[in-house]
Amino acid sequence: MSVIYLLISISLIIALLFLYAFFKAVKNGQFDDDYTPSVRVLFDDSVTDSKTETSPTVVSPKTIQND
Amino acid sequence: MNAPCYHCGTLVSPQNTLQFDKRAFCCVGCKTIYQFFTDNHLSDYYRFDANPGAKPSDASIKYAFLKDQAIVSSLLEFQNEETSIITLHIPHIHCSSCIWILEHLHKISPAILRSQVNFLKKTVRIVFQPKLSLFELVQIISNIGYEPRISLEHVDAKEKPVDRNLLYRIGVAFFSFGNIMLLSFPEYFEVGEFWLEQYKSFFRWLMLGLSLPAFLYAAFPYYESAFYAIRSKRLNMDIPIALGIVAMFVRSIVDMYLDHGAGFFDSMCGLIFFMLLGKLFQQKTYEFLSFERDYKSYFPIAVTRVNDDGGEAVVAVYDINPNDIILIRNEELIPVDGILLSATAKLDYSFVTGEQKPVYKQSGDKLYAGGKFYGATVKLRVSQRISNSYLTQLWANEAFTKNKRAAYSTITDRISRYFTPALLGLAAISFIFWSFTSLQMAFQVLTAVLIVACPCALALTAPFTLGNVLRILGSQKLYLKNAAVIEQLAAVNTLVFDKTGTLTTTSSSALSWKGSFTEDELVAIKSAVYASNHPLSRLISNELLGLKAEDLSDFKEFPGKGIEAKHGNTNMRLGSATWIGAAVDTTTHATAVHIEIDGIYKGSITFSTLYRKHLPELFHKLANDYQIVVLSGDNSSEKATLASILPASVSYHFNQKPEQKLNFIKKLQDEGKTVLMMGDGLNDAGALMQSNVGLALAEDVNVFSPACDGIIDATVFEKLQAYLKYSKNAMRIIYGSFTISVLYNIVGLSFALSGTLSPLVAAIIMPLSTVTIISFVTIMSNVFARFKSK
């Protein structure tokens, strides 16, 4: 039955890993903003467009202004 | 039918609509952004939310100070040769489209590396290459309608370290709680199996070890608070809590040693976890609102200084010294006291005094900081540094330095004043009583009393009720700074209102026309005002909504005076009485626009202030329970009007300077009144700070509001009475649930006093009472929130 020492230490190590992951997440600021990521995850990775050309035209701020 | 602009959603009549790409736009600006987005493969912007945009604004002059390297580096968060990082506050952020476009800024300029939006704070953090200057960056985002707000408060604003301690503590408490609970199961069910008996002591040692982080780290705030309370000879709720936790820990170790049982490690960790959770729940904050604003949020970062050699330079306002000469442009705020060097200037001090009528100053007059300037650029000789100016000195008043929170005790503190001594007395008596029987028994009963009476449910009541009420009020557009404000709101017995901007609305006003105009003339007027950006022009333009604005053959705007326009063959001049040369009506103080067509004076349009909807009804309802005072910086010209619509018990005080307002509130408080102040401008800042509850009324909660305890959206002004009543009901809920938790305590104590408290009973009573309390307060606070449906 001394296998219980092994099992309990494994389970404790796993629990500690989760605690560590939680600490890391808090430290990274994952709990600071609990709204924006929920929206961001729904965005498509690639930008779809009705027009078919592929290379995006690069513009300086001036181009918009002078219109 | 008026259709919404595809970009910004402004309703426009079909005549004024700009058609492009089969979509309707309200102005060239919106059309340009749309075109820009479609050309750059960013038209997805319109897919997430309908009409998400804002009209673009011209940033070139407004943000000219961003060309100054010193100012730029004080705004940047990080800077080296390859990257710069800045966090910009953008009030317009309001929907998923906003997040999307602001996180795709790299598609607009390759120099922008990445950008991340924090929706709740309404900020965007942009990482960009320094080859793109901050000025250009701000121009890019202003051009697409996301104008950032950069004011003096952002200079050297050190990123406040976020306090995440509570989250760490909750994590630790939950870790201990969960693991100990699992290890306790054999003890709960008293499984008598042989092998479990064998490992019992191993399990118990493990529980002791696991409980240590919760006992030492997670529960630390309670020991700290109890220690400070005892040192300052006060009794608070944290004393019995800390005692309960320590009693549980000591008793568990003794039980373990004497082999009585597994002790109370599980209940102890659960209790700590639940109480910390309550703290978290109460901590609801509205991050996009700032309750701590002072004049710095309003003041510009930099002004243009005229150097000795006649050249101009942009300097930070903190670097302006007496005798410097500075330039103030149209619609800029005067940041320092000074003497006017140019001939005349028109100033709007509404932001400081509440008085809406513009003030005219002559050359040589002294100008005080805080006035908004209208007209062609003027020169000013500085007489005081920014920190010594008349306006900023208001912040030197003690009302701004003392801690409001320390001045009163919370409801939990008041109850614990009775609860704590009663509990300690009971524990002492039971200890003495049982010590006649056996000392060991006496120790057990003493710890049992302390454990069971540990006011976990009691301590959770107020945080959960107030946290919930705070959220409900927030969803109803009354944003409170913290939960403690609700208690103060319930105690209020005197209401003080500012007049201008608070009782009156600034978004619309009643226009009255004098003189007669033909249809053609009205079209000409509409065309002229449509071309102008002045607020009065916009109001007139809105009034003439049905008419189509036509092209003008000539248009000139004279800042601070009026406009001159030519429509077809009609020559028009619209503007102030002195400029037009009309006889000034001195009997009223109302603002008026005078109209001259082809050299003939035709009449005027008068703007009279409009009181908020349902104002009389609200005041009649409030007058039954509260003393009401109207405190205005304005002159008394509106007194008769107000007196005729408001209840007779309302008292009025006019011509009050910011400092006088503050002192007036103070006087009321000295008479023993609990005062709620409601205001909107910087002129109320002192009064808002001094009052027990300072509510700032805002037409747009994202824009300015002075330092306050709460911000109320102007659209829900009429519900004020319902909110006040609700805060009182919240207090009743708290008293009700206090009663329930005391009942639980009595049940628990009867076990404890008879010496029969087992760990299992403790493990049941503790969560059960917590769950009851939380469900009770949640249900009750939602039941009382019936004003929601109205």
Side-chain angles (χ1 to χ4, degrees):
Chain A
M1 271 318 280
S2 49
V3 73
I4 201 157
Y5 292 115
L6 182 71
L7 290 176
I8 284 192
S9 34
I10 290 174
S11 77
L12 261 184
I13 286 167
I14 292 172
L16 278 170
L17 278 178
F18 276 107
L19 186 68
Y20 173 74
F22 175 75
F23 267 52
K24 241 189 126 117
V26 173
K27 198 169 183 176
N28 282 341
Q30 283 191 29
F31 291 82
D32 294 353
D33 179 5
D34 52 9
Y35 180 80
T36 329
S38 71
V39 178
R40 191 177 296 131
V41 75
L42 298 174
F43 293 150
D44 294 331
D45 287 341
S46 61
V47 180
T48 56
D49 197 9
S50 50
K51 296 185 182 164
T52 43
E53 64 232 84
T54 42
S55 62
T57 46
V58 169
V59 274
S60 77
K62 297 248 159 43
T63 348
I64 329 169
Q65 247 191 326
N66 298 340
D67 201 288
Chain B
M1 253 307 278
N2 290 336
C5 168
Y6 186 70
H7 176 73
C8 74
T10 313
L11 287 178
V12 273
S13 56
Q15 297 96 324
N16 295 324
T17 308
L18 265 168
Q19 288 290 338
F20 177 78
D21 213 8
K22 291 185 217 125
R23 313 206 190 273
F25 294 94
C26 68
C27 60
V28 184
C30 290
K31 195 201 85 177
T32 314
I33 300 183
Y34 171 78
Q35 214 174 344
F36 177 73
F37 283 165
T38 32
D39 290 350
N40 284 283
H41 311 270
L42 292 166
S43 56
D44 269 7
Y45 179 58
Y46 299 99
R47 273 185 31 206
F48 299 108
D49 197 30
N51 325 114
K55 287 193 175 87
S57 56
D58 184 15
S60 50
I61 301 166
K62 205 168 164 189
Y63 295 103
F65 60 84
L66 291 179
K67 288 174 183 162
D68 184 277
Q69 212 43 53
I71 294 173
V72 167
S73 48
S74 70
L75 289 170
L76 288 176
E77 235 169 74
F78 174 81
Q79 192 177 20
N80 69 12
E81 273 108 59
E82 281 107 48
T83 47
S84 305
I85 302 177
I86 188 162
T87 302
L88 292 170
H89 177 234
I90 301 178
H92 182 66
I93 295 178
H94 73 289
C95 66
S96 13
S97 283
C98 302
I99 302 175
W100 186 82
I101 192 72
L102 289 172
E103 294 195 345
H104 283 85
L105 286 176
H106 56 274
K107 301 261 176 202
I108 299 177
S109 165
I112 298 172
L113 300 174
R114 25 173 211 284
S115 44
Q116 195 175 23
V117 175
N118 183 325
F119 187 81
L120 299 177
K121 285 186 179 158
K122 293 188 192 268
T123 57
V124 58
R125 190 163 183 269
I126 303 174
V127 183
F128 60 102
Q129 292 167 338
K131 68 177 180 196
L132 183 80
S133 74
L134 182 61
F135 177 67
E136 286 168 319
L137 176 75
V138 167
Q139 251 184 321
I140 291 177
I141 58 177
S142 297
N143 281 332
I144 57 169
Y146 289 92
E147 194 184 322
R149 206 171 67 81
I150 306 173
S151 64
L152 197 54
E153 66 175 344
H154 294 97
V155 175
D156 286 330
K158 292 279 170 294
E159 187 86 345
K160 264 190 235 155
V162 202
D163 186 15
R164 303 187 179 113
N165 259 321
L166 185 58
L167 279 173
Y168 289 133
R169 291 188 207 278
I170 289 178
V172 168
F174 186 67
F175 165 79
S176 301
F177 173 53
N179 284 296
I180 295 174
M181 268 282 181
L182 285 174
L183 294 173
S184 308
F185 270 107
E187 305 267 356
Y188 289 162
F189 301 116
E190 288 173 13
V191 189
E193 254 185 294
F194 170 73
W195 66 267
L196 268 179
E197 292 292 326
Q198 293 279 300
Y199 293 101
K200 217 172 204 168
S201 70
F202 166 64
F203 273 45
R204 286 178 185 171
W205 277 105
L206 208 56
M207 282 194 251
L208 169 63
L210 283 170
S211 73
L212 280 176
F215 177 69
L216 296 175
Y217 173 70
F220 187 73
Y222 292 102
Y223 311 139
E224 205 180 14
S225 161
F227 174 74
Y228 284 122
I230 292 170
R231 205 174 60 173
S232 59
K233 299 194 175 72
R234 283 183 299 117
L235 289 172
N236 69 6
M237 203 54 110
D238 289 338
I239 296 175
I241 291 174
L243 266 178
I245 295 171
V246 174
M248 275 188 190
F249 190 73
V250 173
R251 166 82 182 262
S252 307
I253 289 177
V254 172
D255 277 4
M256 239 179 83
Y257 179 72
L258 299 173
D259 199 23
H260 279 302
F264 301 86
F265 292 123
D266 50 347
S267 307
M268 183 188 84
C269 295
L271 175 115
I272 296 170
F273 172 66
F274 282 119
M275 285 192 305
L276 291 175
L277 217 54
K279 273 196 179 177
L280 184 74
F281 192 75
Q282 194 181 17
Q283 244 181 20
K284 166 81 184 170
T285 47
Y286 300 102
E287 291 182 273
F288 64 98
L289 299 173
S290 170
F291 295 101
E292 315 289 348
R293 284 194 186 136
D294 60 11
Y295 65 91
K296 284 184 188 160
S297 331
Y298 300 79
F299 273 33
I301 290 184
V303 285
T304 315
R305 181 169 66 188
V306 183
N307 293 333
D308 297 334
D309 56 9
E312 291 175 12
V314 176
V315 281
V317 285
Y318 284 127
D319 296 335
I320 309 173
N321 291 312
N323 290 326
D324 281 357
I325 291 171
I326 56 170
L327 291 181
I328 307 284
R329 298 198 176 81
N330 189 20
E331 296 201 22
E332 276 186 353
L333 200 81
I334 299 176
V336 286
D337 294 352
I339 287 160
L340 185 65
L341 296 179
S342 305
T344 54
K346 182 181 172 186
L347 295 163
D348 171 13
Y349 275 104
S350 62
F351 162 70
V352 182
T353 58
E355 164 81 58
Q356 268 186 324
K357 218 178 130 216
V359 185
Y360 293 90
K361 293 283 182 184
Q362 307 291 326
S363 175
D365 282 353
K366 179 148 186 154
L367 303 186
Y368 290 107
K372 198 170 185 182
F373 170 74
Y374 292 101
T377 311
V378 289
K379 279 184 186 171
L380 198 70
R381 183 185 294 280
V382 178
S383 56
Q384 295 282 358
R385 283 182 65 86
I386 182 164
S387 51
N388 296 335
S389 74
Y390 171 73
L391 180 68
T392 50
Q393 280 190 338
L394 180 64
W395 273 266
N397 192 293
E398 58 164 342
F400 287 94
T401 50
K402 72 167 187 241
N403 188 355
K404 233 174 169 181
R405 182 75 200 256
Y408 69 96
S409 56
T410 64
I411 183 166
T412 315
D413 288 342
R414 282 198 301 280
I415 287 179
S416 64
R417 223 170 278 158
Y418 303 99
F419 181 86
T420 312
L423 169 71
L424 294 178
L426 191 68
I429 291 168
S430 59
F431 181 78
I432 295 165
F433 177 81
W434 279 99
S435 61
F436 293 116
T437 323
S438 108
L439 209 59
Q440 193 197 338
M441 197 62 195
F443 168 76
Q444 280 195 15
V445 170
L446 173 72
T447 48
V449 167
L450 288 178
I451 290 166
V452 94
C454 179
C456 168
L458 213 56
L460 282 177
T461 293
F464 270 93
T465 315
L466 297 177
N468 206 26
V469 169
L470 199 68
R471 280 174 177 75
I472 289 171
L473 287 176
S475 70
Q476 297 296 306
K477 297 183 177 176
L478 169 60
Y479 309 97
L480 298 178
K481 185 165 145 187
N482 55 41
V485 178
I486 300 168
E487 290 183 35
Q488 287 287 291
L489 211 54
V492 159
N493 54 22
T494 307
L495 308 175
V496 180
F497 293 89
D498 170 50
K499 185 180 76 72
T500 320
T502 306
L503 300 186
T504 64
T505 131
T506 46
S507 57
S508 63
S509 70
L511 273 62
S512 55
W513 296 72
K514 231 184 254 169
S516 60
F517 300 90
T518 65
E519 185 74 12
D520 287 343
E521 284 168 346
L522 287 176
V523 171
I525 292 170
K526 165 83 184 186
S527 312
V529 293
Y530 189 73
S532 154
N533 252 338
H534 194 273
L536 293 182
S537 304
R538 293 229 185 103
L539 287 173
I540 301 174
S541 179
N542 285 341
E543 179 86 359
L544 300 168
L545 200 62
L547 297 174
K548 179 171 167 46
E550 289 168 1
D551 285 342
L552 297 163
S553 42
D554 192 21
F555 177 80
K556 248 191 230 148
E557 191 155 9
F558 299 91
K561 290 172 181 157
I563 50 181
E564 215 173 75
K566 194 168 178 186
H567 170 258
N569 289 323
T570 327
N571 282 305
M572 281 170 298
R573 286 171 77 215
L574 287 85
S576 68
T578 42
W579 188 60
I580 301 281
V584 188
D585 185 2
T586 48
T587 51
T588 67
H589 295 277
T591 319
V593 167
H594 296 263
I595 299 162
E596 188 191 84
I597 292 177
D598 292 329
I600 304 156
Y601 180 73
K602 295 289 283 187
S604 63
I605 307 166
T606 311
F607 301 85
S608 48
T609 45
L610 215 61
Y611 288 98
R612 284 191 193 281
K613 261 195 268 170
H614 310 297
L615 176 71
E617 291 99 306
L618 173 71
F619 269 49
H620 279 101
K621 269 191 258 170
L622 288 171
N624 297 331
D625 303 314
Y626 299 97
Q627 186 194 338
I628 305 177
V629 183
V630 172
L631 196 63
S632 175
D634 223 336
N635 58 51
S636 57
S637 63
E638 289 279 325
K639 190 178 175 175
T641 330
L642 273 171
S644 67
I645 56 169
L646 298 183
S649 59
V650 178
S651 55
Y652 305 89
H653 298 268
F654 290 97
N655 297 316
Q656 299 281 314
K657 293 206 180 70
E659 193 108 23
Q660 288 174 304
K661 285 189 175 187
L662 191 157
N663 290 330
F664 183 83
I665 305 274
K666 208 174 197 165
K667 211 182 91 212
L668 283 176
Q669 286 171 329
D670 290 343
E671 288 165 17
K673 306 258 166 55
T674 310
V675 185
L676 176 138
M677 169 78 203
M678 198 171 192
D680 68 311
L682 205 55
N683 60 322
D684 304 314
L688 288 172
M689 205 67 193
Q690 176 66 40
S691 59
N692 300 73
V693 181
L695 283 187
L697 185 100
E699 299 278 349
D700 177 356
V701 291
N702 296 320
V703 200
F704 301 130
S705 48
C708 55
D709 299 309
I711 297 173
I712 183 169
D713 192 291
T715 52
V716 296
F717 174 71
E718 63 199 66
K719 288 189 185 170
L720 181 67
Q721 195 250 352
Y723 294 158
L724 287 170
K725 206 171 138 198
Y726 187 50
S727 67
K728 287 194 170 161
N729 282 333
M731 291 297 117
R732 290 201 188 104
I733 297 170
I734 294 181
Y735 284 118
S737 65
F738 273 155
T739 318
I740 296 178
S741 61
V742 166
L743 286 178
Y744 269 112
N745 268 331
I746 292 171
V747 174
L749 280 172
S750 62
F751 280 102
L753 289 174
S754 58
T756 51
L757 182 79
S758 71
L760 188 61
V761 173
I764 290 171
I765 285 191
M766 201 272 307
L768 193 67
S769 64
T770 308
V771 169
T772 323
I773 291 300
I774 293 174
S775 12
F776 174 77
V777 300
T778 312
I779 292 167
M780 288 310 280
S781 51
N782 282 304
V783 165
F784 279 122
R786 274 169 305 195
F787 57 81
K788 264 165 112 174
S789 53
K790 277 181 204 166

